[in-house]
Amino acid sequence: DGGITQSPKYLFRKEGQNVTLSCEQNLNHDAMYWYRQDPGQGLRLIYYSQIVNDFQKGDIAEGYSVSREKKESFPLTVTSAQKNPTAFYLCASSIDLGLAGRTDTQYFGPGTRLTVL
Amino acid sequence: AQSVTQLGSHVSVSEGALVLLRCNYSSSVPPYLFWYVQYPNQGLQLLLKYTSAATLVKGINGFEAEFKKSETSFHLTKPSAHMSDAAEYFCAVTRRSYDNKLSFGAGTTVTVRA
């Protein structure tokens, strides 16, 4: 089955630790995205990547880092510099980043809930 | 920049009643609009999308939405609510006509009363 997988489903972190959230897709999509979801705030874009070895900051990139070494993988690291990391993190992908006159649907993974202890 | 406003953070309906979720957008370019549904502790699932073709868009699970340019609205409706419709619903708009980055509304939680 084609889709997006995120692991782990639940993650607990002590203050001052870095943690990495995994996102893998087998849809052969070029573009991938990371969002953060907080209650009552919708989704906010952290980072996105159009192709391998390229990624761009979204609206709330401070305290986060990403890599895109393979087309199917887009891991997110939540660093100790992120002051309020407790949230639900969602990964998404689309065929590409969008061409003039066309917008591709973003497909979402099941999410990772991160809690800072 | 494009933005989305969802009116009402919570909506409660009786089973069998009409579901109406409101979404208004601001856009300086022809928008692409989406409705997603999220069940507890899960990812988002696409319900439907408007991409400048027909203004009345039909989606999955009996939902539909109508694009009204004059009102800058894209309200989501379902004629008869089922218990399985209890979830959170998000409206989203593309930020520019040439990329895929989305702006999401804050979400509307739907509860269905038996």
Side-chain angles (χ1 to χ4, degrees):
Chain A
D1 286 340
I4 302 174
T5 57
Q6 292 186 241
S7 61
K9 187 171 179 62
Y10 298 96
L11 185 58
F12 298 90
R13 189 194 94 171
K14 294 181 180 179
E15 286 197 24
Q17 284 183 336
N18 293 356
V19 290
T20 297
L21 283 59
S22 169
C23 176
E24 304 276 333
Q25 55 96 1
N26 61 3
L27 300 168
N28 200 32
H29 286 174
D30 285 318
M32 298 187 73
Y33 314 78
W34 273 106
Y35 292 92
R36 171 182 172 136
Q37 184 178 18
D38 297 282
Q41 294 192 43
L43 277 69
R44 292 180 289 169
L45 183 64
I46 305 173
Y47 268 97
Y48 62 99
S49 169
Q50 184 174 3
I51 57 173
V52 173
N53 293 324
D54 181 69
F55 47 83
Q56 305 296 327
K57 293 182 179 180
D59 302 317
I60 55 165
E62 184 175 355
Y64 300 98
S65 65
V66 294
S67 62
R68 187 86 188 275
E69 298 177 1
K70 298 185 295 183
K71 184 176 183 177
E72 60 270 24
S73 178
F74 191 41
L76 173 74
T77 297
V78 184
T79 75
S80 56
Q82 170 50 237
K83 298 305 180 188
N84 185 23
T86 294
F88 192 50
Y89 290 87
L90 289 159
C91 179
S93 70
S94 63
I95 293 175
D96 61 30
L97 197 56
L99 303 174
R102 189 186 88 191
T103 291
D104 296 312
T105 299
Q106 291 185 28
Y107 297 91
F108 286 80
T112 292
R113 186 166 297 281
L114 173 64
T115 303
V116 174
L117 303 175
Chain B
Q2 268 72 310
S3 67
V4 170
T5 301
Q6 290 184 240
L7 300 176
S9 58
H10 290 88
V11 169
S12 180
V13 299
S14 297
E15 193 173 17
L18 171 72
V19 179
L20 170 60
L21 304 182
R22 300 179 187 274
C23 173
N24 288 90
Y25 68 91
S26 65
S27 174
S28 57
V29 297
Y32 283 41
L33 292 152
F34 301 79
W35 275 102
Y36 284 90
V37 61
Q38 184 181 35
Y39 299 99
N41 290 311
Q42 295 186 24
L44 275 66
Q45 179 182 8
L46 180 70
L47 278 177
L48 49 80
K49 66 179 181 182
Y50 168 76
T51 57
S52 75
T55 56
L56 182 62
V57 182
K58 295 188 182 298
I60 63 170
N61 301 339
F63 284 94
E64 64 181 35
E66 186 172 9
F67 173 72
K68 291 187 177 180
K69 184 178 180 180
S70 61
E71 298 178 7
T72 60
S73 69
F74 190 56
H75 301 331
L76 181 72
T77 60
K78 181 173 180 177
S80 177
H82 294 166
M83 299 299 289
S84 60
D85 295 325
E88 190 164 19
Y89 293 80
F90 292 94
C91 183
V93 64
T94 49
R95 300 187 187 190
R96 294 191 291 267
S97 60
Y98 58 87
D99 74 28
N100 260 1
K101 293 195 293 294
L102 299 176
S103 291
F104 283 85
T108 299
T109 299
V110 172
T111 57
V112 182
R113 304 186 303 272

